[in-house]
Amino acid sequence: MKYIGIDIGGTNLKAGLVDDRGTVLATKKEKIAQIHNAEALAWAMVSMTQELASAAGVPLDQIKSVGVGVPGTVEIHSGSLLYTCNLPLRNVPLRRLFHRYLHLPLYIENDANCAALAEYYVGAGRDSKRFVTVTLGTGIGGGIVHNGKIYHGSNGMAGEVGHMSIVHNGLDCPCGRKGCWEQYASATALKRMTREAVECHGDSILAQVVAENGGVISGQSAFIAARRGDAVGQAVCDEYIAYLAAGITNLVNIFQPDTLAIGGGVSNEDEECLLKPLQRLVARDSIPCPAEKKTKIVTAQLGNQAGIIGAALLGKKKR
Ligand SMILES: [Zn+2]
C-alpha cells in the first residue's frame, strides 16, 4: 500500500507519495499564497493526491490514506484544522470538505507530531518504543511517541516543549509567558545571541564570519567562528548549548525516553561542536541512572522530509 503525506509549510503546500517503509516516491508542491479559503485548501489536497497517484501509476484504491501535517492546532478526531499561522483560516472541517471530492481516510495532525512519528517509524527512533523529538527552528517543536502512539494529552495540544519556562521572569514569549525555552534554544534565539555578540565585539572573528556572509547572521555563524578558534563565537555556542541542555535535561527527567532526537537546521552542526557537548551536559545534569538505561540523545535523520513522511504514516497503524 501507498500513502499520501501533505505538509502545510510557510510558503508551499508540499505533498508526497510514500510507501510502507517511509520512502518518498514522488513529491509535488503548490504555493500556499494561492489558497484563500477552506474549499481551496481541500481541493488542493484532493488534486495533489490524484496527480501524485496518477503520475506514479498507482490506482487510487491502492492509496491507504492521506495525512496532513499542520503547524498549529488541530482536532484529530473530527479531522479539523482549528488554527495555523500559515493560512488565514480558522475552524476548517478539513476531513468533511476533502470527502466531498475523494473518499480516502484523511488524518490531520500537528506538524511537530508528524515529524516525531516519521522519526519513530523510519528515522532516529526506529529502534525505540518511547521516543521524543525536539525540532529547533523559528521556535521549538516537540513530539512524544509512546509505543507507536503520539501522546496528545486530553485536548490534542500536548508536546509544546518550546513553551516550558526555563528562566523565571525571563524573556517575553508570544505565547504570553516569560522565559520559554524557545526564547533561548531555538534557531531564532541562537541568531539573536550571535547578533548581540557581533554588536559587542565588532573586531571578532565572529563579526568577520558574518561580514563574509554578506552581513547575514545564520545559525551556523557562531559555530564557524568557534571552529576558527574565536573565543567570542565559542562563548555564543557554549551559552546556546547550555540553554539547549537545560530543556533537554528536563525532557529526559520527565519522560525518560529510550531515545531523544534533535532536528531542525541547527542539528546539522558538526557532532563535536553540538551533539557531544550537549550529551555531556545532559549526562551531568539529568537524574543519575545506569548507563545502559540512559536516554540516547541523537540527531534526527529525515531532515525536512520528516513532515511529509510522518503525515503519510499517520494512517499506517491504528493510532
Ligand atoms: Zn512560550
Side-chain angles (χ1 to χ4, degrees):
M1 287 302 259
K2 305 285 188 288
Y3 303 83
I4 300 283
I6 301 175
D7 188 23
I8 302 183
T11 317
N12 292 306
L13 197 64
K14 293 182 288 184
L17 178 71
V18 176
D19 70 11
D20 263 305
R21 287 173 303 178
T23 308
V24 179
L25 306 171
T27 57
K28 255 192 102 46
K29 63 181 175 184
E30 199 164 302
K31 285 261 175 283
I32 204 127
Q34 288 161 357
I35 295 166
H36 300 292
N37 56 46
E39 285 287 339
L41 175 62
W43 178 246
M45 287 163 45
V46 169
S47 62
M48 288 172 111
T49 299
Q50 289 170 332
E51 286 164 28
L52 276 170
S54 122
V58 176
L60 279 174
D61 62 9
Q62 291 294 305
I63 306 282
K64 193 165 180 211
S65 62
V66 178
V68 197
V70 182
T73 320
V74 300
E75 219 289 303
I76 55 168
H77 297 293
S78 64
S80 301
L81 187 170
L82 303 184
Y83 167 82
T84 170
C85 49
N86 290 344
L87 286 165
L89 306 175
R90 301 290 177 266
N91 304 317
V92 178
L94 204 51
R95 183 181 294 143
R96 187 153 59 78
L97 296 176
F98 183 86
H99 281 165
R100 280 190 196 162
Y101 306 108
L102 200 56
H103 280 279
L104 285 173
L106 182 92
Y107 299 100
I108 184 164
E109 184 57 82
N110 171 270
D111 63 345
N113 286 343
C114 289
L117 198 67
E119 293 288 343
Y120 171 81
Y121 275 131
V122 297
R126 62 184 178 280
D127 298 324
S128 302
K129 286 188 170 174
R130 292 144 293 247
F131 178 65
V132 174
T133 53
V134 165
T135 307
L136 310 171
T138 311
I140 299 184
I144 301 148
V145 182
H146 188 258
N147 288 334
K149 289 174 101 173
I150 294 167
Y151 179 72
H152 287 108
S154 63
N155 50 17
M157 290 171 70
E160 289 289 351
V161 299
H163 298 285
M164 68 173 137
S165 178
I166 59 159
V167 179
H168 179 61
N169 274 335
L171 295 170
D172 286 327
C173 182
C175 78
R177 216 174 165 207
K178 287 179 188 291
C180 288
W181 189 32
E182 69 176 37
Q183 299 304 319
Y184 299 87
S186 60
T188 312
L190 172 58
K191 288 186 222 170
R192 188 201 72 238
M193 291 171 193
T194 306
R195 190 180 61 242
E196 288 166 359
V198 168
E199 282 164 7
C200 288
H201 305 278
D203 54 353
S204 61
I205 297 175
L206 179 60
Q208 200 179 315
V209 167
V210 171
E212 285 165 11
N213 196 34
V216 178
I217 290 169
S218 78
Q220 293 173 295
S221 309
F223 288 99
I224 295 170
R227 277 195 291 277
R228 290 196 200 162
D230 182 32
V232 175
Q234 188 62 55
V236 172
C237 295
D238 290 348
E239 188 187 17
Y240 174 74
I241 293 168
Y243 281 126
L244 185 57
I248 301 283
T249 304
N250 289 346
L251 293 174
V252 167
N253 284 346
I254 295 167
F255 293 106
Q256 299 292 351
D258 304 312
T259 308
L260 186 150
I262 296 159
V266 180
S267 70
N268 296 327
E269 206 45 70
D270 212 54
E271 216 179 90
E272 294 298 324
C273 300
L274 181 81
L275 191 63
K276 292 270 172 69
L278 176 67
Q279 287 169 332
R280 280 195 290 272
L281 290 176
V282 176
R284 186 194 72 187
D285 295 342
S286 52
I287 292 167
C289 117
E292 71 280 8
K293 293 187 176 171
K294 268 193 197 313
T295 297
K296 289 193 240 358
I297 315 278
V298 301
T299 46
Q301 295 176 355
L302 302 174
N304 52 17
Q305 282 202 316
I308 285 179
I309 297 169
L313 297 184
L314 288 170
K316 185 171 158 73
K317 281 183 190 162
K318 193 176 181 307
R319 292 187 297 149

